[in-house]
Amino acid sequence: WALRVGDIDRTGRLRLDAGARHIQDIGSDQLREMGFEETHPLWIVRRTMVDLIRPIEFQDMLRCRRWCSGASNRWCEMRVRIDGRKGGLMESEAFWININRETQMPSRISDDFLDGLRKTTDVNRLRWKGYLKAGSREDAAEIHEFPVRVTDIDLFDHMNNSVYWSVIEDYLWSFPELFKAPLRVAIEHDAPVALGDKLEIISHVHPAGSTDRFGETLADRTVRTLTYAVGDEVKALAAIFPL
């Protein structure tokens, strides 16, 4: 893909929400190339983790590669690497669930499809494990409303995955210094956001040394979290921290 004007911020950087769309699009392309576009057309994402190693900039050419890193009967983890010819790099891993069109529930992946996925992984009993915890309103650094638009809603009548990443872009606009080093952002989805929902974003900052939410592995760095909530119901969680 050529990196186009609609995918960049005002500095020319490939935005995270645009990267999320590329991650979705190459998934659709792979389904078509493998011959499963008709039998496995609908997937929802439970978690996406993106590592922004080096920013990809305007007028660059993108090379996207996708492969499976873990599979089970109804879901899989897929990695996507986006390289820019000028040295920019974005890497990702996402937990995707195969959905039945009629029931809109998790559906078994066909054996021949699984055979193709397993060519790049030996993880055959992938299980879901959430990593993030919701933040409370009482100790929040900020709470603000995020308007849900008609154009944000997809085929499932839910807010599309890429829109959650536009919330991250809004947040990071106030902290441009975070882009000076490699950055990891993860979003976990607990429940769908629908048109008409009053979506609020609850932000927290956990200084280095805070281990109550993320364990010893993140004790040496500041972690910023966003809780996507409608009333008292948590819809999604995000974490942002330097690598």
Side-chain angles (χ1 to χ4, degrees):
W1 278 298
L3 181 53
R4 297 180 171 90
V5 174
D7 291 338
I8 59 174
D9 70 358
R10 59 184 182 176
T11 70
R13 172 185 57 84
L14 171 64
R15 300 191 316 271
L16 291 167
D17 60 305
R21 289 198 305 274
H22 290 318
I23 291 168
Q24 292 177 163
D25 289 346
I26 194 175
S28 298
D29 290 349
Q30 185 179 16
L31 278 176
R32 185 166 52 253
E33 291 296 325
M34 292 175 67
F36 294 104
E37 190 177 32
E38 295 297 324
T39 58
H40 297 70
L42 301 178
W43 298 74
I44 61 172
V45 65
R46 189 71 197 275
R47 174 176 53 234
T48 306
M49 183 166 59
V50 171
D51 289 351
L52 179 56
I53 309 300
R54 294 179 296 274
I56 301 173
E57 298 178 346
F58 181 49
Q59 294 184 321
D60 206 344
M61 186 66 68
L62 309 181
R63 182 188 187 195
C64 301
R65 287 173 282 181
R66 188 177 195 254
W67 67 96
C68 181
S69 58
S72 191
N73 290 337
R74 289 172 171 80
W75 44 74
C76 59
E77 279 189 329
M78 303 298 294
R79 293 189 178 181
V80 176
R81 176 183 173 116
I82 305 176
D83 287 274
R85 288 181 178 173
K86 300 177 182 179
L89 175 60
M90 181 182 290
E91 296 193 82
S92 72
E93 185 172 68
F95 191 104
W96 290 96
I97 302 175
N98 183 43
I99 297 296
N100 180 279
R101 185 189 296 270
E102 285 73 32
T103 65
Q104 294 201 7
M105 296 294 291
S107 179
R108 195 182 191 285
I109 303 171
S110 67
D111 290 340
D112 50 351
F113 192 175
L114 280 173
D115 288 342
L117 294 177
R118 287 170 175 164
K119 291 180 179 179
T120 56
T121 181
D122 57 4
V123 179
N124 297 320
R125 295 185 177 181
L126 178 68
R127 289 182 172 87
W128 167 257
K129 179 182 179 180
Y131 298 129
L132 307 182
K133 297 181 181 180
S136 68
R137 295 177 180 273
E138 288 71 22
D139 61 348
E142 182 184 8
I143 301 175
H144 70 271
E145 188 173 344
F146 184 85
V148 181
R149 305 163 299 178
V150 171
T151 52
D152 296 335
I153 305 301
D154 62 17
L155 187 64
F156 291 105
D157 207 23
H158 303 160
M159 190 169 81
N160 185 262
N161 168 54
S162 64
V163 182
Y164 292 80
W165 289 88
S166 66
V167 174
I168 301 292
E169 284 287 339
D170 281 352
Y171 179 81
L172 289 174
W173 178 81
S174 299
F175 306 98
E177 69 276 6
L178 294 178
F179 289 110
K180 294 180 179 179
L183 187 68
R184 172 168 291 178
V185 184
I187 296 181
E188 292 182 356
H189 302 267
D190 285 354
V193 174
L195 187 64
D197 281 348
K198 183 180 179 182
L199 178 62
E200 292 182 301
I201 310 301
I202 306 167
S203 63
H204 292 79
V205 179
H206 307 276
S210 301
T211 61
D212 57 328
R213 293 180 183 275
F214 304 99
E216 295 296 332
T217 57
L218 295 179
D220 61 343
R221 69 199 79 179
T222 296
V223 179
R224 301 170 185 271
T225 64
L226 302 178
T227 300
Y228 301 64
V230 176
D232 294 330
E233 184 179 11
V234 174
K235 298 292 189 175
L237 306 164
I240 306 165
F241 53 91
L243 288 172

